[in-house]
Amino acid sequence: MSWKIGNVRIENPFVLAPMAGVTDMPFRTLCKEQGAGLICMEMISAKAISFHNKNTIALMKIDPCEHPVSMQLFGSEPELMAEVAKSIEDKDFDILDINMGCPVPKVVNNGEGSALLKNPELIVQIIKSVSSAIQKPVTVKVRIGFENAPVDIVEIARRAEDAGAAAIAVHGRTRQQYYSGTADWDIIRQVKEAVSIPVIGNGDVDSPLKAEALLKQTGCDGVMIGRAVRGNPWIFREMNHYFQTGELLSRPSSEEIREMILRHARAQIALKGEFTGIREMRKHVAWYTAGMRHSAGLRRASNTIESYEALQELLMKL
C-alpha cells in the first residue's frame, strides 16, 4: 500500500488531515501510533513565522516518531511564502503543504486559504516561488469551489502540477459548504485523471468501507481523514486492518477509551502545562465519549475540569 510524494515514502494511504486546534503534537503522535501513513500538522501562518511569533514557533515542534510529517503554511504573498519556506527548511518536517482550502472567515478575508481559488494566477505564483525556494516536496490542499466565483479545480490542479506541486489534496466541498452536505467525490476523480502527481481525496470518510469506496470511485492515491478522527485515533488501526485482512475490527472498549484519553491528557500537560493542557482536553473528552453511555453528562462535566486528577475521577464513570 506504500506510495510516494516526491522522494518521501509513505507506508499506507491513510492521511491525518491538518486541523487547527486538533492536530497538535500530542494528538498526532497517538494517530501515528495507531497507523496513520502521513501526519499533517495544524496550519501555520507564514506571516507569523516571519515575525518570529513565539506561539507559532511552538506549533512547529515535531516528535521524531511522527515521520513522515507534513507542515502546512497559509499565506497569499509569493515572495514572503518563499522566504519563510526557505527559512524553515531545516526544521524536521518532510513535506511542506500550502493551504488553499481553509473556509474560516478571518483567513478568507485576508485573501488566504480558500480565497486563493478565485485567483489561479496567484496560486501558480505561490507554488512556483515556494517549490523553487526549497528542496523538500511542496504540496497543496484545495476545495472544489468558492461561493459564486467560477472555479475550475481540475484546471487549477493541472496548473499546480506544472508550477511544481508534488501532490494535491482535494476536499470535495466548496467554501460555502464548510463541512455540510455530501462531498463530491466525482470531482476528485476528475482531478486524479487530469494530473500525474499523487492526489489525496478528502471528504466524508469515516470508516474503512468509506475509504475503500473513495479509492475505488476516484482512483486517488491517499485518503485524508479529518473530522472522523477527532476522539478516534483508532480509525487508522481499523483502516490498516481492513485493507490488509478484509475484516472490520470491533470498536475500542470503554477501558481503552479511558486509557487513551488519559495518555492524551498526560502528553498535553507535558507539552503545555496542566492549566492549558487540561483545558484543551475538554473538547477532546467530548469527542472521545460521543455516543457513549452518560456521554451528555460527561461532556457537561468535562467543561469544568481543571486538573488531571479531576479528569481521572470523571472518567471513572465510563
Side-chain angles (χ1 to χ4, degrees):
M1 294 197 295
S2 68
W3 54 299
K4 294 178 85 172
I5 293 178
N7 59 356
V8 178
R9 182 183 175 87
I10 303 163
E11 291 301 322
N12 65 61
F14 312 120
V15 181
L16 172 65
M19 291 178 282
V22 180
T23 55
D24 58 7
M25 189 169 70
F27 187 63
R28 296 195 310 263
T29 57
L30 295 177
C31 292
K32 183 64 181 182
E33 175 191 275
Q34 293 297 317
L38 176 63
I39 297 288
C40 297
M41 302 167 67
E42 301 176 81
M43 69 177 189
I44 299 171
S45 163
K47 281 182 183 174
I49 294 174
S50 71
F51 295 149
H52 305 289
N53 180 280
K54 186 174 71 174
N55 293 334
T56 298
I57 301 304
L59 285 177
M60 297 167 67
K61 190 173 181 183
I62 295 169
D63 188 283
C65 80
E66 294 185 56
H67 297 286
V69 59
S70 171
M71 181 179 290
Q72 188 183 70
L73 288 183
F74 72 96
S76 59
E77 301 168 51
E79 286 186 16
L80 175 68
M81 295 281 283
E83 287 171 15
V84 167
K86 194 169 183 63
S87 75
I88 63 172
E89 190 174 14
D90 62 345
K91 302 294 183 185
D92 289 338
F93 65 92
D94 303 291
I95 295 165
L96 187 65
D97 187 58
I98 303 171
N99 183 299
M100 298 183 177
C102 179
V104 175
K106 69 178 182 180
V107 173
V108 170
N109 292 341
N110 281 334
E112 301 165 336
S114 58
L116 291 169
L117 297 172
K118 297 185 291 181
N119 192 340
E121 290 298 331
L122 182 55
I123 286 176
V124 168
Q125 289 173 33
I126 291 171
I127 296 170
K128 275 186 176 176
S129 296
V130 175
S131 63
S132 62
I134 65 173
Q135 298 300 309
K136 291 180 179 179
V138 173
T139 62
V140 294
K141 185 170 190 289
V142 299
R143 282 179 173 248
I144 61 172
F146 189 95
E147 293 172 21
N148 297 318
V151 173
D152 184 343
I153 203 63
V154 175
E155 180 60 22
I156 285 174
R158 286 196 192 99
R159 297 188 68 183
E161 178 178 17
D162 290 343
I168 183 166
V170 182
H171 185 156
R173 287 184 171 87
T174 62
R175 187 266 171 155
Q176 68 266 35
Q177 279 183 279
Y178 275 72
Y179 303 97
S180 65
T182 303
D184 188 337
W185 290 358
D186 193 60
I187 292 185
I188 299 173
R189 177 191 61 78
Q190 292 173 38
V191 170
K192 175 59 185 171
E193 291 174 356
V195 298
S196 59
I197 55 175
V199 173
I200 302 167
N202 181 208
D204 293 343
V205 174
D206 58 6
S207 70
L209 294 175
K210 282 277 192 74
E212 183 179 50
L214 174 66
L215 287 166
K216 282 183 176 176
Q217 182 176 331
T218 68
C220 63
D221 304 271
V223 177
M224 184 170 276
I225 305 157
R227 287 171 299 154
V229 80
R230 298 182 305 187
N232 185 26
W234 301 277
I235 196 168
F236 293 108
R237 178 179 72 184
E238 294 165 7
M239 295 277 183
N240 280 292
H241 185 82
Y242 176 76
F243 275 73
Q244 289 164 8
T245 69
E247 299 171 350
L248 291 169
L249 283 177
S250 56
R251 297 296 296 150
S253 65
S254 295
E255 181 58 40
E256 197 172 359
I257 293 170
R258 182 188 300 117
E259 182 51 37
M260 186 68 83
I261 295 171
L262 291 174
R263 285 184 59 207
H264 192 166
R266 290 194 295 271
Q268 286 280 14
I269 291 166
L271 183 66
K272 303 174 184 180
E274 187 167 50
F275 182 89
T276 300
I278 284 295
R279 281 160 177 77
E280 290 195 3
M281 280 304 298
R282 292 172 178 176
K283 64 192 174 194
H284 289 286
V285 171
W287 289 326
Y288 276 112
T289 59
M292 295 179 68
R293 187 168 53 97
H294 309 311
S295 63
L298 277 167
R299 234 185 345 266
R300 285 193 298 271
S302 69
N303 286 327
T304 64
I305 54 171
E306 296 185 356
S307 68
Y308 181 77
E309 290 72 23
L311 177 61
Q312 281 183 304
E313 186 176 340
L314 175 66
L315 295 179
M316 292 307 293
K317 297 174 184 176
L318 279 182

